[in-house]
Amino acid sequence: MHLNEKTITEAIIKRYTEKLLDSLKCDVAIVGGGPSGLVAAAELAGAGWKTCLFERKLSIGGGMWGGGMMMNEIVVQEEGKEILDEYDVQTRSFSKGYYTADSVEAVSTICSKTVKAGVRIFNLISVEDILLRDKEAAGIVINWTAVEMASLHVDPLTIESKFIIDTTGHAAEVIRVIEKKDDARLMTPSGKIEGERSLWADRAEQTTLENTREVFPRVYVAGMCANAVFGSYRMGPIFGGMLLSGKKVASLIGERLAGE
Ligand code: 48H
């Protein structure tokens, strides 16, 4: 067969456009493709909800690739291991209650399950704002990361969604925009972002789950972002809390969607 470049180009443009057009209105828009965002997305799509995930970078996986200090192994506790088992990621027992996994296997396997669950993943797109309807969020505002990086004055496009999950990690980018622009009282003790505290793995892993919840009408936080917004600790390279938080937020939003 004689290969034709025009057909190759057409195939990419058409397929991508189909995917994007089909995502202009979704049940859940997830911002950030780290471990918490990926698990939340896989669980929601697995439950039948139309789920889209937007990731600024070329690669999906956030901070999990690098393990701890670029040593590409992650640690999980018993509850985290159960999720890795479910996602077919191999773990090795290190000592009682501590397990390790190869971070490259963990990211690539979870990412593959997420795509196969039906999540539409858009990499190289940054979320720069939300859609606001009165006092609730109604979607997200997106632009190419390349536009953001080059500081070009190019207007964005929008995605409507019933719920948004901020899984942007330490930066808590979506919530920061809401706090700054919308003069919002967040559902935190002070009504503002409380800010992340120093490293305390044990306490941080517990509070990640407690802090996984709604923080502005129709916007939830999960993963490291939950602790940054609610003023809790960082945990270092233990990833069970991230995976569990992804599951929890999916179940909270799944219940809301089922009730609407
Ligand atoms: C699109 C965006 C935007 C945006 C950011 O940091 P992550 O891996 O997030 P989590 O919470 O799933 O996992 C946190 C974990 O990796 C970690 O950092 C831990 C455990 N730290 C502990 C410690 O002590 O340091 O991923 C967030 C993703 C990244 O890929 C960003 O590129 C992406 O979100 N992102 N994508 N639009 N505005 N902002």
Side-chain angles (χ1 to χ4, degrees), residues 5-22 122 144:
E5 291 83 359
K6 179 171 173 284
T7 309
I8 296 169
T9 304
E10 252 174 17
I12 290 173
I13 295 174
K14 277 204 172 152
R15 288 286 186 261
Y16 188 84
T17 309
E18 282 163 15
K19 195 159 59 173
L20 188 57
L21 282 173
D22 190 44
F122 297 94
W144 301 116

Side-chain angles (χ1 to χ4, degrees), residues 32 34-36 55-56 62-63 127 167-168 170 173 224 234 236 242:
S36 63
E55 166 56 50
R56 168 179 285 136
V127 173
T167 47
T168 61
H170 297 270
E173 291 202 14
M224 188 62 228
R234 64 190 295 194
M242 299 300 112

